[in-house]
Amino acid sequence: MRVMKWSMIALAVSAGTSQFAMASAQDDSKGFVEDSTFSINTRALYFSRDFRNNPSGPGSKSRAEETGLGFNALYESGFTQGTIGVGVDVIGLMGLKLDSGKGRAGTGLFPTGSDGRSQDDYSKGGGAVKFRISNTVLKVGDQYTTAPVFASDDSRLLPELPQGISITSNEIKGLKLEGGHFTSSVAQNQTYHDSLGLTKTDFVGGVYSFTPEVTGSLYYAKTEDYFRKYYSNLNWTHALSDDQSFALDFNIYDTKSDGAGLQRAEKDGVTKLDNRAFSLQGAYTIGAHTFTLAAQKVTGDGDYGYGVDGGGSVFLANSVARSDFNAEGEKSYQARYDINMATFGIPGLSFMTRYVTGSGANTATTSNGKEWERDIEAKYVVQSGPAKNLSLRLRQATYRSGDGVYYGSPSIDELRLIANYPLNIL
């Protein structure tokens, strides 16, 4: 991984320097107020999980079912004019409980009190100061992250909100470089500082467009006293005709215990992280139809390492609605079908179904843990009028595992009804 990492970066930089640098974004700045934007995304979410083989006993549940309304407000100022532009971002998040109950709490939508009930409402927020020179932006404070080795999760009512320093540079055409130093993160369903218990994480990497059809990325991350991680991606998309295309996408993570985390693992005799998780996905599109096949494998010691906090996202083909299919030794395969109804005169309407099966997982109870998941989704996006961009989505997931011990969850039937309404005020 080290050789590939540095050789690809060298290739990207040498190719990029042969091109003219892009026009400076800072030179085009209109001002702090003039370039400001303000948006509010409203999300209504009904979330239901029916646990099929939950162990009986005190505290066990057969069902979790809640409904909430979330508001995600984001103000992004422009940059002051001059060589160094200065600006601010302000984030405001609020969640409201619409329906719940003590026996149905635990969906991850809301904070839960000592009595086992979900809070009626909760809010959080923050802000960041940002500086721009040419096409490079430095940001300090609360901010969402999208790097494949440190991406904030937005799978519930409100997103995770990390705190730290980031830098993003687009000085060379086709090349994006970024890095970050993060010390805390607010969980999706919590309000207090560092509720994820984040261990200090640093990352650096970038994405380069070799051609209009081929892009590649390389990242390195280090979570203090826990692990170091490499990530690489290669994506190729090719148009076969006006209504046909083919795409290949390859992802790989290389994770290894490091520092005090490695010492603790060796001392306590527990599994240390030293694994590779990789996936290859191919998609063929013809007209309204897209057919996708994917294969994924984890080799080495330990499950894929999310981090001490367990938060964040993973960029693997078989990371789907319920499971990520990334236990130690696990191999998994996916078949997926998408249809875009715009071809049939209904723009904005689409359907998706997929099936993923995994086997060969090494767990505390077996050397051949098995799981499977079937997902069905229908989505409609309003195309015009006052409700333009309002999206309505129905997601149903059926997940089965031989034993809840395998993957930390019993088998479930899950249903999500999601309405998102993004409103741009400025």
Side-chain angles (χ1 to χ4, degrees):
M1 288 294 294
R2 289 180 183 271
V3 173
M4 180 176 68
K5 173 178 181 285
W6 293 114
S7 61
M8 285 189 70
I9 286 179
L11 177 60
V13 172
S14 63
T17 52
S18 65
Q19 306 177 49
F20 291 108
M22 297 188 297
S24 169
Q26 181 55 27
D27 288 344
D28 294 333
S29 175
K30 295 183 177 65
F32 185 96
V33 175
E34 290 78 1
D35 283 335
S36 292
T37 63
F38 178 53
S39 62
I40 299 177
N41 183 67
T42 303
R43 175 179 297 172
L45 173 59
Y46 166 80
F47 192 110
S48 169
R49 275 182 171 171
D50 183 1
F51 301 103
R52 310 302 295 180
N53 61 347
N54 212 12
S56 60
S60 64
K61 287 186 177 182
S62 62
R63 189 176 188 83
E65 182 182 29
E66 296 181 296
T67 304
L69 185 64
F71 300 93
N72 183 344
L74 175 61
Y75 170 77
E76 296 178 289
S77 79
F79 290 89
T80 59
Q81 295 179 325
T83 303
I84 300 177
V86 180
V88 297
D89 292 345
V90 180
I91 297 170
L93 302 167
M94 182 173 67
L96 302 175
K97 182 178 71 177
L98 300 182
D99 179 66
S100 181
K102 184 175 180 180
R104 296 182 287 124
T107 61
L109 298 189
F110 314 104
T112 303
S114 57
D115 61 355
R117 298 182 183 275
S118 294
Q119 289 184 194
D120 291 337
D121 58 79
Y122 64 110
S123 60
K124 52 189 173 182
V129 179
K130 55 188 180 182
F131 306 89
R132 184 171 68 185
I133 300 177
S134 186
N135 294 310
T136 298
V137 176
L138 174 70
K139 190 177 294 188
V140 182
D142 303 275
Q143 54 194 288
Y144 301 126
T145 57
T146 58
V149 290
F150 193 80
S152 45
D153 192 352
D154 189 19
S155 60
R156 291 295 191 273
L157 199 60
L158 300 175
E160 292 175 347
L161 184 57
Q163 294 81 44
I165 302 171
S166 70
I167 185 169
T168 304
S169 179
N170 293 283
E171 298 296 340
I172 299 173
K173 185 178 180 181
L175 176 63
K176 172 188 173 181
L177 297 173
E178 62 177 328
H181 170 78
F182 287 85
T183 56
S184 61
S185 185
V186 181
Q188 296 183 86
N189 64 336
Q190 297 293 340
T191 60
Y192 59 92
H193 179 74
D194 202 19
S195 46
L196 270 177
L198 180 69
T199 299
K200 183 175 70 175
T201 298
D202 300 300
F203 70 86
V204 63
V207 181
Y208 183 68
S209 298
F210 294 94
T211 72
E213 293 186 340
V214 180
T215 61
S217 64
L218 283 161
Y219 283 82
Y220 168 81
K222 181 177 175 63
T223 300
E224 186 178 55
D225 289 336
Y226 192 62
F227 61 58
R228 67 96 181 109
K229 181 181 295 183
Y230 293 103
Y231 167 82
S232 183
N233 165 263
L234 191 63
N235 181 277
W236 173 60
T237 303
H238 178 66
L240 301 171
S241 65
D242 290 342
D243 66 343
Q244 295 186 66
S245 65
F246 182 73
L248 277 176
D249 189 70
F250 175 76
N251 296 277
I252 183 168
Y253 288 90
D254 183 306
T255 308
K256 192 170 185 177
S257 292
D258 187 59
L262 177 59
Q263 296 171 11
R264 285 192 297 269
E266 293 174 340
K267 178 182 177 181
D268 298 337
V270 298
T271 301
K272 62 179 182 288
L273 293 178
D274 188 2
N275 59 45
R276 272 65 52 201
F278 53 90
S279 66
L280 178 64
Q281 175 177 283
Y284 170 65
T285 298
I286 177 168
H289 314 279
T290 299
F291 304 90
T292 303
L293 295 175
Q296 185 171 302
K297 173 70 174 175
V298 179
T299 63
D301 299 326
D303 303 341
Y304 169 80
Y306 292 93
V308 177
D309 52 34
S313 303
V314 57
F315 290 42
L316 291 170
N318 290 347
S319 175
V320 290
R322 162 57 192 91
S323 181
D324 290 332
F325 292 86
N326 53 19
E328 178 181 288
E330 184 172 14
K331 57 183 179 293
S332 58
Y333 304 94
Q334 176 185 168
R336 171 173 171 160
Y337 170 69
D338 293 76
I339 183 169
N340 185 342
M341 299 302 291
T343 303
F344 304 100
I346 314 176
L349 181 63
S350 62
F351 299 94
M352 179 278 291
T353 185
R354 64 186 164 209
Y355 177 81
V356 188
T357 179
S359 62
N362 295 320
T363 74
T365 60
T366 181
S367 60
N368 188 30
K370 297 180 180 179
E371 59 178 338
W372 63 264
E373 178 173 336
R374 181 184 63 244
D375 300 329
I376 301 171
E377 178 175 306
K379 182 178 181 181
Y380 179 69
V381 180
V382 178
Q383 302 294 293
S384 61
K388 183 178 180 180
N389 295 326
L390 167 68
S391 66
L392 305 171
R393 183 164 49 163
L394 181 151
R395 300 178 64 185
Q396 193 278 331
T398 301
Y399 170 79
R400 296 291 183 268
S401 68
D403 187 332
V405 175
Y406 292 162
Y407 305 98
S409 170
S411 299
I412 60 172
D413 290 338
E414 179 180 289
L415 179 65
R416 305 188 198 192
L417 302 176
I418 310 164
N420 270 309
Y421 183 46
L423 178 62
N424 296 319
I425 298 174
L426 290 178

